[in-house]
Amino acid sequence: MGARTVSPGGALLRSSRMFSMPRPLPEISSISSDSTMHKSNTATRPFPQYQSITSPLASREKGDWGIKRPLPIKQTMATTTPLVRVKQFDTIEKITDYNSAADHSLSLEKFGEMRIAMTIPQEGRDRRDISSRANRYIIDGGKDTSGPASNPGLKSVFEEDMDFTAMSADSAGDNRWKFTGPWLARMSEGDFIKYLDKHVRPKRAEFRTLLRGLLAAQMTDRQNAEAREAGKPLPPPVNPKDITEEDFTKYLRRLRHDRPVLYSVISKFLDLAPLGMPVGFKANSGIFFDDDVQVSRSPYGKSGPPPSHPSAGISYLRTNAVLDNHPVYGPQADKTPILSRIISPRQGATPAKLGVGGFVATVPAGDNDFNYRPTRGGRSASRKAISGVSHLDLSTYGGAKAYVEPYTATVNPEGKVVVKVREAGAEAQIIAKEARGLTSIYNDSPLKRSLLSAPEQDAGQEASARRLERVAEEVFSEEPLDSVPEKDIVSSSSSYGLDPPTER
């Protein structure tokens, strides 16, 4: 038998040690007006674009990461997070362009530890109703099991009426998160002009045919309604070819003046991402001439659809209806709070920013310690403002910190994970501090007693010294022990510390 010939592709796969890598995610154009518009090449991206690669220690010591050339051992071994992202296998300098991927990998790990369920964005809801501890919203099949009945609960991104991509004939099709067409509000002027020239103008004839079909259906319904009222047999349906140009022109003029209906028809024809309801427009106000056309009620109408699945693959939890079971105190009413860092104080109307597990969140709104301001009557003894919220705290080592409870997260059109937090409960904060050794609830062990504050330790030492003096007086007393009347100490009040101390 002769030698087998290998194709160029097969030879490439044989010589290559890593031949399959996913393409990097494209950069998303930002439409926000905040400071994130000024991007830095060294700043952490809001979402990962390249796959994170790791290697076992035995291979990492040799510089083997599964790619066609080894990576420098001096750099890859001098880290506690052996995670890299490869931007380019072969550059013009014949090297591998890579950098550390610990930023996104650790953020994913910390997000998983916080156990946050991804939800559909809630447009137009009062932030005070969400963050208030009196109104608890639990993700449970889209129903609010604890808050007031007037406020709907947060809905998971994995619900059947939200987690689908196929276009349906009913109005529920607007709730899908993926569309073939773009979201017009996110496009730049140049991209919008290119979209008109390449996708919209070639479909003019097709769109006019669609409008003729809609007009024919409306005229057929009108004729049938008039025939029923007059008691006559139903006339034959109107054919789109039988519509005159004059009637069609009048129909186009009516469409131009009815913007909601026109937007709905164009969005379905081009499969565009839904736009928000026009300002000042109220549903079911009777301004429609076509009742069959419905206005989009998509949750992504105001902010826009996310660039990926609404969960972003960062969390697959469907509900927050779980209980934390403490080994000593049993089931807890609140989740374990997260110690957040105050990274930006409040500036005028802009609320303070918190760093929660590698993500930036806004302080919870409402009447809480984050927004507490002393009145003229004086500050309450049980309330105090958190340091670092109203001004930059330069005295606290490591920056000002505060406990919060993250309860939901969403993905905005820019691909950023927006975490929402609320004020943590007092008992949950004490238990979290006890786990870190910063405070103690039960001081019946040497470890707990060693964690007491200095005034408490001084008070304990003084009590021990007084008891030692009483023992010394008993030992060196000249009064014989027989003269002291015996006292039953079994199940007596003194054995439980109930008798008042006697004066000597």
PDB file of all heavy atoms in Angstrom, residues 121-156:
ATOM      1  N   PRO A 121     -35.832  43.569  33.102  1.00  0.00           N
ATOM      2  CA  PRO A 121     -35.838  44.960  33.586  1.00  0.00           C
ATOM      3  C   PRO A 121     -37.248  45.474  33.775  1.00  0.00           C
ATOM      4  O   PRO A 121     -38.150  45.213  32.957  1.00  0.00           O
ATOM      5  CB  PRO A 121     -35.093  45.720  32.474  1.00  0.00           C
ATOM      6  CG  PRO A 121     -35.191  44.851  31.275  1.00  0.00           C
ATOM      7  CD  PRO A 121     -35.196  43.445  31.782  1.00  0.00           C
ATOM      8  N   GLN A 122     -37.449  46.180  34.864  1.00  0.00           N
ATOM      9  CA  GLN A 122     -38.748  46.744  35.208  1.00  0.00           C
ATOM     10  C   GLN A 122     -38.714  48.235  34.923  1.00  0.00           C
ATOM     11  O   GLN A 122     -38.054  48.997  35.628  1.00  0.00           O
ATOM     12  CB  GLN A 122     -39.075  46.498  36.685  1.00  0.00           C
ATOM     13  CG  GLN A 122     -39.108  45.029  37.054  1.00  0.00           C
ATOM     14  CD  GLN A 122     -40.316  44.324  36.483  1.00  0.00           C
ATOM     15  OE1 GLN A 122     -41.383  44.915  36.398  1.00  0.00           O
ATOM     16  NE2 GLN A 122     -40.156  43.076  36.115  1.00  0.00           N
ATOM     17  N   GLU A 123     -39.387  48.656  33.861  1.00  0.00           N
ATOM     18  CA  GLU A 123     -39.398  50.060  33.471  1.00  0.00           C
ATOM     19  C   GLU A 123     -40.510  50.794  34.191  1.00  0.00           C
ATOM     20  O   GLU A 123     -41.623  50.280  34.343  1.00  0.00           O
ATOM     21  CB  GLU A 123     -39.594  50.196  31.959  1.00  0.00           C
ATOM     22  CG  GLU A 123     -38.479  49.580  31.141  1.00  0.00           C
ATOM     23  CD  GLU A 123     -37.174  50.325  31.279  1.00  0.00           C
ATOM     24  OE1 GLU A 123     -37.212  51.473  31.772  1.00  0.00           O
ATOM     25  OE2 GLU A 123     -36.127  49.779  30.904  1.00  0.00           O
ATOM     26  N   GLY A 124     -40.196  51.998  34.638  1.00  0.00           N
ATOM     27  CA  GLY A 124     -41.212  52.864  35.215  1.00  0.00           C
ATOM     28  C   GLY A 124     -41.585  52.541  36.635  1.00  0.00           C
ATOM     29  O   GLY A 124     -42.509  53.120  37.169  1.00  0.00           O
ATOM     30  N   ARG A 125     -40.895  51.613  37.292  1.00  0.00           N
ATOM     31  CA  ARG A 125     -41.246  51.293  38.681  1.00  0.00           C
ATOM     32  C   ARG A 125     -40.525  52.247  39.620  1.00  0.00           C
ATOM     33  O   ARG A 125     -39.377  52.615  39.401  1.00  0.00           O
ATOM     34  CB  ARG A 125     -40.873  49.853  39.013  1.00  0.00           C
ATOM     35  CG  ARG A 125     -41.106  49.490  40.463  1.00  0.00           C
ATOM     36  CD  ARG A 125     -40.691  48.073  40.754  1.00  0.00           C
ATOM     37  NE  ARG A 125     -41.588  47.116  40.130  1.00  0.00           N
ATOM     38  CZ  ARG A 125     -41.505  45.814  40.339  1.00  0.00           C
ATOM     39  NH1 ARG A 125     -40.590  45.336  41.134  1.00  0.00           N
ATOM     40  NH2 ARG A 125     -42.336  44.991  39.733  1.00  0.00           N
ATOM     41  N   ASP A 126     -41.179  52.617  40.671  1.00  0.00           N
ATOM     42  CA  ASP A 126     -40.595  53.498  41.670  1.00  0.00           C
ATOM     43  C   ASP A 126     -39.496  52.758  42.407  1.00  0.00           C
ATOM     44  O   ASP A 126     -39.696  51.669  42.930  1.00  0.00           O
ATOM     45  CB  ASP A 126     -41.659  53.963  42.666  1.00  0.00           C
ATOM     46  CG  ASP A 126     -41.148  55.087  43.541  1.00  0.00           C
ATOM     47  OD1 ASP A 126     -39.975  55.466  43.414  1.00  0.00           O
ATOM     48  OD2 ASP A 126     -41.938  55.573  44.349  1.00  0.00           O
ATOM     49  N   ARG A 127     -38.305  53.335  42.423  1.00  0.00           N
ATOM     50  CA  ARG A 127     -37.171  52.697  43.063  1.00  0.00           C
ATOM     51  C   ARG A 127     -37.381  52.569  44.570  1.00  0.00           C
ATOM     52  O   ARG A 127     -36.850  51.681  45.216  1.00  0.00           O
ATOM     53  CB  ARG A 127     -35.888  53.477  42.784  1.00  0.00           C
ATOM     54  CG  ARG A 127     -35.493  53.476  41.324  1.00  0.00           C
ATOM     55  CD  ARG A 127     -34.289  54.354  41.057  1.00  0.00           C
ATOM     56  NE  ARG A 127     -33.116  53.846  41.742  1.00  0.00           N
ATOM     57  CZ  ARG A 127     -32.454  54.506  42.674  1.00  0.00           C
ATOM     58  NH1 ARG A 127     -32.871  55.686  43.062  1.00  0.00           N
ATOM     59  NH2 ARG A 127     -31.381  53.995  43.235  1.00  0.00           N
ATOM     60  N   ARG A 128     -38.176  53.418  45.149  1.00  0.00           N
ATOM     61  CA  ARG A 128     -38.410  53.311  46.589  1.00  0.00           C
ATOM     62  C   ARG A 128     -39.216  52.066  46.920  1.00  0.00           C
ATOM     63  O   ARG A 128     -39.037  51.471  47.967  1.00  0.00           O
ATOM     64  CB  ARG A 128     -39.136  54.562  47.085  1.00  0.00           C
ATOM     65  CG  ARG A 128     -38.288  55.815  47.010  1.00  0.00           C
ATOM     66  CD  ARG A 128     -39.085  57.025  47.410  1.00  0.00           C
ATOM     67  NE  ARG A 128     -40.206  57.225  46.499  1.00  0.00           N
ATOM     68  CZ  ARG A 128     -41.095  58.193  46.641  1.00  0.00           C
ATOM     69  NH1 ARG A 128     -41.003  59.029  47.654  1.00  0.00           N
ATOM     70  NH2 ARG A 128     -42.084  58.321  45.764  1.00  0.00           N
ATOM     71  N   ASP A 129     -40.117  51.674  46.008  1.00  0.00           N
ATOM     72  CA  ASP A 129     -40.901  50.469  46.252  1.00  0.00           C
ATOM     73  C   ASP A 129     -40.036  49.224  46.173  1.00  0.00           C
ATOM     74  O   ASP A 129     -40.317  48.227  46.822  1.00  0.00           O
ATOM     75  CB  ASP A 129     -42.041  50.369  45.234  1.00  0.00           C
ATOM     76  CG  ASP A 129     -43.043  51.488  45.409  1.00  0.00           C
ATOM     77  OD1 ASP A 129     -43.065  52.051  46.516  1.00  0.00           O
ATOM     78  OD2 ASP A 129     -43.760  51.813  44.451  1.00  0.00           O
ATOM     79  N   ILE A 130     -38.972  49.255  45.364  1.00  0.00           N
ATOM     80  CA  ILE A 130     -38.130  48.078  45.195  1.00  0.00           C
ATOM     81  C   ILE A 130     -37.163  47.931  46.359  1.00  0.00           C
ATOM     82  O   ILE A 130     -36.988  46.855  46.915  1.00  0.00           O
ATOM     83  CB  ILE A 130     -37.355  48.174  43.864  1.00  0.00           C
ATOM     84  CG1 ILE A 130     -38.342  48.168  42.698  1.00  0.00           C
ATOM     85  CG2 ILE A 130     -36.391  47.023  43.722  1.00  0.00           C
ATOM     86  CD1 ILE A 130     -37.673  48.296  41.353  1.00  0.00           C
ATOM     87  N   SER A 131     -36.498  49.017  46.725  1.00  0.00           N
ATOM     88  CA  SER A 131     -35.418  48.917  47.696  1.00  0.00           C
ATOM     89  C   SER A 131     -35.916  48.955  49.131  1.00  0.00           C
ATOM     90  O   SER A 131     -35.161  48.678  50.051  1.00  0.00           O
ATOM     91  CB  SER A 131     -34.422  50.060  47.474  1.00  0.00           C
ATOM     92  OG  SER A 131     -35.077  51.304  47.620  1.00  0.00           O
ATOM     93  N   SER A 132     -37.163  49.333  49.379  1.00  0.00           N
ATOM     94  CA  SER A 132     -37.660  49.404  50.742  1.00  0.00           C
ATOM     95  C   SER A 132     -37.719  48.022  51.368  1.00  0.00           C
ATOM     96  O   SER A 132     -38.130  47.059  50.748  1.00  0.00           O
ATOM     97  CB  SER A 132     -39.043  50.047  50.760  1.00  0.00           C
ATOM     98  OG  SER A 132     -39.571  50.033  52.063  1.00  0.00           O
ATOM     99  N   ARG A 133     -37.298  47.905  52.580  1.00  0.00           N
ATOM    100  CA  ARG A 133     -37.319  46.625  53.269  1.00  0.00           C
ATOM    101  C   ARG A 133     -38.733  46.223  53.636  1.00  0.00           C
ATOM    102  O   ARG A 133     -38.991  45.067  53.940  1.00  0.00           O
ATOM    103  CB  ARG A 133     -36.455  46.694  54.525  1.00  0.00           C
ATOM    104  CG  ARG A 133     -34.986  46.861  54.232  1.00  0.00           C
ATOM    105  CD  ARG A 133     -34.176  46.711  55.497  1.00  0.00           C
ATOM    106  NE  ARG A 133     -34.464  45.445  56.149  1.00  0.00           N
ATOM    107  CZ  ARG A 133     -33.915  44.296  55.815  1.00  0.00           C
ATOM    108  NH1 ARG A 133     -33.094  44.235  54.809  1.00  0.00           N
ATOM    109  NH2 ARG A 133     -34.208  43.182  56.479  1.00  0.00           N
ATOM    110  N   ALA A 134     -39.674  47.172  53.625  1.00  0.00           N
ATOM    111  CA  ALA A 134     -41.057  46.813  53.918  1.00  0.00           C
ATOM    112  C   ALA A 134     -41.717  46.085  52.747  1.00  0.00           C
ATOM    113  O   ALA A 134     -42.687  45.370  52.933  1.00  0.00           O
ATOM    114  CB  ALA A 134     -41.867  48.061  54.258  1.00  0.00           C
ATOM    115  N   ASN A 135     -41.193  46.291  51.524  1.00  0.00           N
ATOM    116  CA  ASN A 135     -41.750  45.645  50.335  1.00  0.00           C
ATOM    117  C   ASN A 135     -40.728  44.662  49.809  1.00  0.00           C
ATOM    118  O   ASN A 135     -39.791  45.052  49.128  1.00  0.00           O
ATOM    119  CB  ASN A 135     -42.083  46.689  49.257  1.00  0.00           C
ATOM    120  CG  ASN A 135     -43.057  47.714  49.769  1.00  0.00           C
ATOM    121  OD1 ASN A 135     -43.849  47.414  50.643  1.00  0.00           O
ATOM    122  ND2 ASN A 135     -42.984  48.923  49.242  1.00  0.00           N
ATOM    123  N   ARG A 136     -40.872  43.396  50.144  1.00  0.00           N
ATOM    124  CA  ARG A 136     -39.951  42.358  49.716  1.00  0.00           C
ATOM    125  C   ARG A 136     -40.494  41.686  48.461  1.00  0.00           C
ATOM    126  O   ARG A 136     -41.595  41.152  48.461  1.00  0.00           O
ATOM    127  CB  ARG A 136     -39.737  41.315  50.819  1.00  0.00           C
ATOM    128  CG  ARG A 136     -38.954  41.840  52.014  1.00  0.00           C
ATOM    129  CD  ARG A 136     -37.618  42.398  51.559  1.00  0.00           C
ATOM    130  NE  ARG A 136     -36.830  42.855  52.675  1.00  0.00           N
ATOM    131  CZ  ARG A 136     -35.638  42.367  52.960  1.00  0.00           C
ATOM    132  NH1 ARG A 136     -35.117  41.419  52.233  1.00  0.00           N
ATOM    133  NH2 ARG A 136     -34.962  42.845  53.986  1.00  0.00           N
ATOM    134  N   TYR A 137     -39.701  41.704  47.392  1.00  0.00           N
ATOM    135  CA  TYR A 137     -40.106  41.086  46.145  1.00  0.00           C
ATOM    136  C   TYR A 137     -39.297  39.817  45.967  1.00  0.00           C
ATOM    137  O   TYR A 137     -38.070  39.853  45.926  1.00  0.00           O
ATOM    138  CB  TYR A 137     -39.858  42.017  44.957  1.00  0.00           C
ATOM    139  CG  TYR A 137     -40.682  43.261  45.017  1.00  0.00           C
ATOM    140  CD1 TYR A 137     -40.170  44.431  45.563  1.00  0.00           C
ATOM    141  CD2 TYR A 137     -41.974  43.276  44.559  1.00  0.00           C
ATOM    142  CE1 TYR A 137     -40.920  45.566  45.639  1.00  0.00           C
ATOM    143  CE2 TYR A 137     -42.732  44.420  44.622  1.00  0.00           C
ATOM    144  CZ  TYR A 137     -42.200  45.556  45.160  1.00  0.00           C
ATOM    145  OH  TYR A 137     -42.953  46.686  45.230  1.00  0.00           O
ATOM    146  N   ILE A 138     -39.989  38.694  45.872  1.00  0.00           N
ATOM    147  CA  ILE A 138     -39.358  37.401  45.691  1.00  0.00           C
ATOM    148  C   ILE A 138     -39.704  36.891  44.309  1.00  0.00           C
ATOM    149  O   ILE A 138     -40.869  36.895  43.915  1.00  0.00           O
ATOM    150  CB  ILE A 138     -39.812  36.391  46.762  1.00  0.00           C
ATOM    151  CG1 ILE A 138     -39.485  36.940  48.155  1.00  0.00           C
ATOM    152  CG2 ILE A 138     -39.166  35.039  46.556  1.00  0.00           C
ATOM    153  CD1 ILE A 138     -39.950  36.057  49.266  1.00  0.00           C
ATOM    154  N   ILE A 139     -38.708  36.477  43.580  1.00  0.00           N
ATOM    155  CA  ILE A 139     -38.920  35.974  42.236  1.00  0.00           C
ATOM    156  C   ILE A 139     -39.510  34.585  42.355  1.00  0.00           C
ATOM    157  O   ILE A 139     -38.817  33.626  42.651  1.00  0.00           O
ATOM    158  CB  ILE A 139     -37.611  35.956  41.453  1.00  0.00           C
ATOM    159  CG1 ILE A 139     -36.949  37.330  41.502  1.00  0.00           C
ATOM    160  CG2 ILE A 139     -37.830  35.525  40.027  1.00  0.00           C
ATOM    161  CD1 ILE A 139     -35.561  37.333  40.999  1.00  0.00           C
ATOM    162  N   ASP A 140     -40.814  34.481  42.128  1.00  0.00           N
ATOM    163  CA  ASP A 140     -41.499  33.203  42.270  1.00  0.00           C
ATOM    164  C   ASP A 140     -42.549  33.102  41.171  1.00  0.00           C
ATOM    165  O   ASP A 140     -43.724  33.379  41.375  1.00  0.00           O
ATOM    166  CB  ASP A 140     -42.156  33.093  43.649  1.00  0.00           C
ATOM    167  CG  ASP A 140     -42.735  31.715  43.891  1.00  0.00           C
ATOM    168  OD1 ASP A 140     -42.481  30.832  43.059  1.00  0.00           O
ATOM    169  OD2 ASP A 140     -43.438  31.539  44.892  1.00  0.00           O
ATOM    170  N   GLY A 141     -42.084  32.745  40.000  1.00  0.00           N
ATOM    171  CA  GLY A 141     -42.999  32.598  38.876  1.00  0.00           C
ATOM    172  C   GLY A 141     -43.640  33.897  38.453  1.00  0.00           C
ATOM    173  O   GLY A 141     -44.746  33.905  37.928  1.00  0.00           O
ATOM    174  N   GLY A 142     -42.955  35.021  38.667  1.00  0.00           N
ATOM    175  CA  GLY A 142     -43.508  36.301  38.286  1.00  0.00           C
ATOM    176  C   GLY A 142     -44.545  36.839  39.235  1.00  0.00           C
ATOM    177  O   GLY A 142     -45.205  37.815  38.943  1.00  0.00           O
ATOM    178  N   LYS A 143     -44.726  36.216  40.395  1.00  0.00           N
ATOM    179  CA  LYS A 143     -45.732  36.675  41.359  1.00  0.00           C
ATOM    180  C   LYS A 143     -45.040  37.291  42.563  1.00  0.00           C
ATOM    181  O   LYS A 143     -43.993  36.836  42.995  1.00  0.00           O
ATOM    182  CB  LYS A 143     -46.611  35.515  41.809  1.00  0.00           C
ATOM    183  CG  LYS A 143     -47.411  34.881  40.674  1.00  0.00           C
ATOM    184  CD  LYS A 143     -48.244  33.740  41.189  1.00  0.00           C
ATOM    185  CE  LYS A 143     -49.046  33.107  40.052  1.00  0.00           C
ATOM    186  NZ  LYS A 143     -49.845  31.972  40.534  1.00  0.00           N
ATOM    187  N   ASP A 144     -45.651  38.310  43.084  1.00  0.00           N
ATOM    188  CA  ASP A 144     -45.134  38.972  44.268  1.00  0.00           C
ATOM    189  C   ASP A 144     -45.717  38.281  45.493  1.00  0.00           C
ATOM    190  O   ASP A 144     -46.901  38.385  45.763  1.00  0.00           O
ATOM    191  CB  ASP A 144     -45.504  40.459  44.237  1.00  0.00           C
ATOM    192  CG  ASP A 144     -44.926  41.176  45.432  1.00  0.00           C
ATOM    193  OD1 ASP A 144     -44.050  40.621  46.101  1.00  0.00           O
ATOM    194  OD2 ASP A 144     -45.368  42.299  45.677  1.00  0.00           O
ATOM    195  N   THR A 145     -44.876  37.559  46.232  1.00  0.00           N
ATOM    196  CA  THR A 145     -45.359  36.793  47.377  1.00  0.00           C
ATOM    197  C   THR A 145     -45.234  37.534  48.688  1.00  0.00           C
ATOM    198  O   THR A 145     -45.669  37.030  49.710  1.00  0.00           O
ATOM    199  CB  THR A 145     -44.573  35.475  47.482  1.00  0.00           C
ATOM    200  OG1 THR A 145     -43.178  35.779  47.637  1.00  0.00           O
ATOM    201  CG2 THR A 145     -44.764  34.639  46.231  1.00  0.00           C
ATOM    202  N   SER A 146     -44.605  38.700  48.681  1.00  0.00           N
ATOM    203  CA  SER A 146     -44.441  39.400  49.946  1.00  0.00           C
ATOM    204  C   SER A 146     -44.766  40.878  49.862  1.00  0.00           C
ATOM    205  O   SER A 146     -45.081  41.480  50.856  1.00  0.00           O
ATOM    206  CB  SER A 146     -42.996  39.240  50.439  1.00  0.00           C
ATOM    207  OG  SER A 146     -42.102  39.783  49.489  1.00  0.00           O
ATOM    208  N   GLY A 147     -44.646  41.502  48.690  1.00  0.00           N
ATOM    209  CA  GLY A 147     -44.902  42.921  48.574  1.00  0.00           C
ATOM    210  C   GLY A 147     -46.376  43.228  48.441  1.00  0.00           C
ATOM    211  O   GLY A 147     -47.232  42.343  48.438  1.00  0.00           O
ATOM    212  N   PRO A 148     -46.701  44.484  48.299  1.00  0.00           N
ATOM    213  CA  PRO A 148     -48.099  44.860  48.150  1.00  0.00           C
ATOM    214  C   PRO A 148     -48.653  44.371  46.829  1.00  0.00           C
ATOM    215  O   PRO A 148     -47.941  44.153  45.867  1.00  0.00           O
ATOM    216  CB  PRO A 148     -48.056  46.390  48.213  1.00  0.00           C
ATOM    217  CG  PRO A 148     -46.667  46.746  47.827  1.00  0.00           C
ATOM    218  CD  PRO A 148     -45.799  45.638  48.306  1.00  0.00           C
ATOM    219  N   ALA A 149     -49.968  44.187  46.778  1.00  0.00           N
ATOM    220  CA  ALA A 149     -50.592  43.628  45.578  1.00  0.00           C
ATOM    221  C   ALA A 149     -50.537  44.589  44.405  1.00  0.00           C
ATOM    222  O   ALA A 149     -50.666  44.178  43.256  1.00  0.00           O
ATOM    223  CB  ALA A 149     -52.042  43.242  45.879  1.00  0.00           C
ATOM    224  N   SER A 150     -50.361  45.882  44.667  1.00  0.00           N
ATOM    225  CA  SER A 150     -50.356  46.854  43.576  1.00  0.00           C
ATOM    226  C   SER A 150     -49.057  46.849  42.808  1.00  0.00           C
ATOM    227  O   SER A 150     -48.990  47.396  41.715  1.00  0.00           O
ATOM    228  CB  SER A 150     -50.606  48.266  44.138  1.00  0.00           C
ATOM    229  OG  SER A 150     -49.598  48.596  45.089  1.00  0.00           O
ATOM    230  N   ASN A 151     -47.996  46.275  43.353  1.00  0.00           N
ATOM    231  CA  ASN A 151     -46.703  46.257  42.694  1.00  0.00           C
ATOM    232  C   ASN A 151     -46.406  44.845  42.213  1.00  0.00           C
ATOM    233  O   ASN A 151     -46.330  43.916  43.011  1.00  0.00           O
ATOM    234  CB  ASN A 151     -45.594  46.721  43.650  1.00  0.00           C
ATOM    235  CG  ASN A 151     -45.766  48.165  44.030  1.00  0.00           C
ATOM    236  OD1 ASN A 151     -46.109  48.994  43.207  1.00  0.00           O
ATOM    237  ND2 ASN A 151     -45.551  48.466  45.298  1.00  0.00           N
ATOM    238  N   PRO A 152     -46.224  44.626  40.905  1.00  0.00           N
ATOM    239  CA  PRO A 152     -45.924  43.285  40.422  1.00  0.00           C
ATOM    240  C   PRO A 152     -44.530  42.871  40.843  1.00  0.00           C
ATOM    241  O   PRO A 152     -43.634  43.678  41.027  1.00  0.00           O
ATOM    242  CB  PRO A 152     -46.034  43.436  38.898  1.00  0.00           C
ATOM    243  CG  PRO A 152     -45.752  44.880  38.643  1.00  0.00           C
ATOM    244  CD  PRO A 152     -46.282  45.624  39.831  1.00  0.00           C
ATOM    245  N   GLY A 153     -44.325  41.567  40.973  1.00  0.00           N
ATOM    246  CA  GLY A 153     -43.032  41.047  41.382  1.00  0.00           C
ATOM    247  C   GLY A 153     -42.061  40.991  40.230  1.00  0.00           C
ATOM    248  O   GLY A 153     -42.418  41.099  39.064  1.00  0.00           O
ATOM    249  N   LEU A 154     -40.797  40.821  40.560  1.00  0.00           N
ATOM    250  CA  LEU A 154     -39.764  40.677  39.547  1.00  0.00           C
ATOM    251  C   LEU A 154     -39.942  39.344  38.835  1.00  0.00           C
ATOM    252  O   LEU A 154     -40.230  38.330  39.450  1.00  0.00           O
ATOM    253  CB  LEU A 154     -38.391  40.771  40.200  1.00  0.00           C
ATOM    254  CG  LEU A 154     -38.079  42.087  40.899  1.00  0.00           C
ATOM    255  CD1 LEU A 154     -36.735  42.012  41.591  1.00  0.00           C
ATOM    256  CD2 LEU A 154     -38.095  43.244  39.924  1.00  0.00           C
ATOM    257  N   LYS A 155     -39.727  39.350  37.542  1.00  0.00           N
ATOM    258  CA  LYS A 155     -39.929  38.149  36.734  1.00  0.00           C
ATOM    259  C   LYS A 155     -38.589  37.648  36.246  1.00  0.00           C
ATOM    260  O   LYS A 155     -37.748  38.415  35.766  1.00  0.00           O
ATOM    261  CB  LYS A 155     -40.853  38.462  35.555  1.00  0.00           C
ATOM    262  CG  LYS A 155     -41.150  37.250  34.669  1.00  0.00           C
ATOM    263  CD  LYS A 155     -42.203  37.562  33.635  1.00  0.00           C
ATOM    264  CE  LYS A 155     -43.551  37.746  34.295  1.00  0.00           C
ATOM    265  NZ  LYS A 155     -44.633  37.862  33.290  1.00  0.00           N
ATOM    266  N   SER A 156     -38.392  36.339  36.360  1.00  0.00           N
ATOM    267  CA  SER A 156     -37.142  35.722  35.956  1.00  0.00           C
ATOM    268  C   SER A 156     -36.998  35.741  34.440  1.00  0.00           C
ATOM    269  O   SER A 156     -37.990  35.728  33.693  1.00  0.00           O
ATOM    270  CB  SER A 156     -37.076  34.287  36.477  1.00  0.00           C
ATOM    271  OG  SER A 156     -35.938  33.616  35.962  1.00  0.00           O
TER     272      SER A 156
END
